Amino acid sequence: MMPPLNLVTQLLHVLAAGLLMISFSMLAQRRTRRLIVLLAWQGVVLTASTLLVAVTAHLQHLYYSAALTLIEKVWLMPWILLRLMRRLGIESDSDPLVNIPTLMLVGLGLVIFAFGLAQPISSLATTVTRQTLGIAMAVILLAFLMMIARHKAVTQVIGFLAMENGLFFAATSTTYGMPMVVELGIALDLLVGVFIFGIFFFQIREQFDSLDLHQLEALKED
């Protein structure tokens, strides 16, 4: 028996709010290990929301999408990043470019901007998740802000993966997800990308003994 539509909509709003809160937590977090854990929790929320939409809309491909999200975003990607962190000896990121309260205020402004930007698009969508498009866009912008405000290369990759999570949630919000072939292609590209980033990190660490982007920029200027 399918749950009532109002209940499904409320649950989706709760999951979307949880995704936004996780994004704010990532913005304020300094420790790399906790950033990876929060990234995995984003995957849990995406899996739950995709399953909920699949049950409501009776779309078979969303069940496969939810399973792929569970495997890749909750288990595989965090596991690879944690192993990479241990091998590189990374535990905490350096302080962001601006202090945390200022960063959170900028993030709040981006959330307001995202909701205003998404309003015209949400009115044209016909999915049960259309009202969460603003949150999806806010997650993307917050991940982009995290990438700008961090020094270490590893946190840049985590921010990139968080941005992809926002894009995935936006696709589910507006079109009930992308075709399975496209999702498989994106998943493979992300996996290959993380492996390539890992190889580059080891090479950079071996050559310059640091993954701090500011130090690398200083070397380039010298």
Side-chain angles (χ1 to χ4, degrees), residues 5-209:
L5 187 59
N6 287 338
L7 178 60
V8 170
T9 304
Q10 291 175 3
L11 288 174
L12 286 171
H13 287 171
V14 170
L15 290 172
L19 192 65
L20 184 62
M21 293 302 296
I22 293 172
S23 296
F24 270 108
S25 298
M26 294 178 75
L27 199 61
Q29 187 57 247
R30 287 189 173 93
R31 299 186 70 83
T32 305
R33 181 184 297 274
R34 292 177 183 173
L35 275 175
I36 296 172
V37 172
L38 289 170
L39 185 71
W41 275 109
Q42 276 194 341
V44 172
V45 173
L46 289 174
T47 301
S49 62
T50 305
L51 274 175
L52 201 55
V53 174
V55 171
T56 306
H58 303 289
L59 294 173
Q60 188 72 24
H61 75 276
L62 285 181
Y63 289 105
Y64 300 117
S65 178
L68 182 63
T69 302
L70 180 65
I71 294 171
E72 184 187 28
K73 298 179 184 297
V74 179
W75 174 69
L76 187 57
M77 287 295 184
W79 179 74
I80 293 173
L81 289 171
L82 284 171
R83 281 184 60 88
L84 185 64
M85 186 195 74
R86 293 191 193 101
R87 293 286 299 275
L88 292 171
I90 301 168
E91 186 60 33
S92 63
D93 190 26
S94 54
D95 290 334
L97 298 177
V98 294
N99 56 55
I100 297 299
T102 303
L103 204 59
M104 300 297 279
L105 286 175
V106 174
L108 184 60
L110 288 176
V111 171
I112 296 172
F113 173 75
F115 273 90
L117 190 65
Q119 188 59 39
I121 305 173
S122 299
S123 61
L124 297 175
T126 58
T127 61
V128 295
T129 54
R130 62 186 179 274
Q131 298 301 326
T132 61
L133 179 60
I135 292 180
M137 296 185 70
V139 170
I140 296 171
L141 293 177
L142 289 175
F144 187 65
L145 178 61
M146 186 180 78
M147 292 176 66
I148 294 173
R150 299 292 175 171
H151 296 171
K152 295 290 181 63
V154 174
T155 50
Q156 303 275 324
V157 174
I158 295 173
F160 172 75
L161 293 174
M163 187 183 296
E164 194 276 332
N165 287 342
L167 289 169
F168 180 87
F169 193 65
T172 307
S173 301
T174 53
T175 62
Y176 284 146
M178 297 170 285
M180 182 53 59
V181 174
V182 177
E183 291 192 18
L184 287 172
I186 293 174
L188 182 60
D189 287 345
L190 284 175
L191 190 60
V192 172
V194 169
F195 275 114
I196 292 174
F197 276 129
I199 294 170
F200 276 129
F201 290 160
F202 280 110
Q203 291 294 326
I204 293 171
R205 186 63 175 270
E206 184 178 344
Q207 293 293 325
F208 304 111
D209 197 31

